[in-house]
Amino acid sequence: MAKQVGLDKAELERSLRHLLHCFKAANPEVSSKIVLLLMENEKGLTVSDIKDELGVSYAMALRIVSELESLGVVETDRVKVVKGRGRARKLARVSKDGITKLAKECIEYLEPLTNLQ
């Protein structure tokens, strides 16, 4: 995904972190890592998968995924457990359109500052 937008992974993560900071996302550092992880896994990941990949608590992963969903950066679905019994899992996927829209909004907010004299 990073190569598709002409950035290396570190640059993409830095840009995502700044974008999420612009909208006062909780913990932009972890939020950007979650978005990057979801970009690398286009079919999506469960909150448990995200927790395991990043080494954060389930509560933190769920809270950040929910916040990213409210910003329009992430879309979620419920998926049933394949084996055994249990509660449906929350599957998160990145919304490229949501990221683009958020970036454009951030640029619009900041654009008047480019004309300061």
Side-chain angles (χ1 to χ4, degrees):
M1 175 62 195
K3 292 191 188 322
Q4 291 175 352
V5 294
L7 300 172
D8 69 21
K9 189 175 178 177
E11 288 175 317
L12 181 58
E13 185 177 345
R14 185 176 58 82
S15 294
L16 287 168
R17 188 172 54 249
H18 287 294
L19 175 63
L20 295 168
H21 185 72
C22 181
F23 287 91
K24 297 183 180 177
N27 202 334
E29 189 81 25
V30 175
S31 296
S32 62
K33 288 179 192 258
I34 289 174
V35 173
L36 193 59
L37 187 61
L38 293 173
M39 286 178 149
E40 294 169 349
N41 296 278
E42 290 187 17
K43 291 185 179 183
L45 294 170
T46 65
V47 174
S48 289
D49 293 335
I50 293 168
K51 167 193 78 85
D52 293 340
E53 285 283 330
L54 298 179
V56 297
S57 70
Y58 183 86
M60 176 183 265
L62 180 61
R63 184 178 74 243
I64 291 175
V65 165
S66 296
E67 181 177 18
L68 292 171
E69 183 179 22
S70 71
L71 287 172
V73 174
V74 167
E75 298 169 345
T76 62
D77 289 315
R78 291 277 186 197
V79 292
K80 290 191 174 199
V81 177
V82 177
K83 292 183 179 179
R85 299 169 24 167
R87 191 179 287 181
R89 306 281 190 238
K90 192 171 200 173
L91 181 73
R93 284 186 311 279
V94 73
S95 169
K96 294 174 189 170
D97 291 339
I99 292 172
T100 302
K101 181 181 175 202
L102 206 62
K104 287 178 181 177
E105 286 179 25
C106 188
I107 290 168
E108 286 175 16
Y109 293 145
L110 298 174
E111 208 268 314
L113 297 175
T114 62
N115 296 322
L116 292 178
Q117 295 181 13

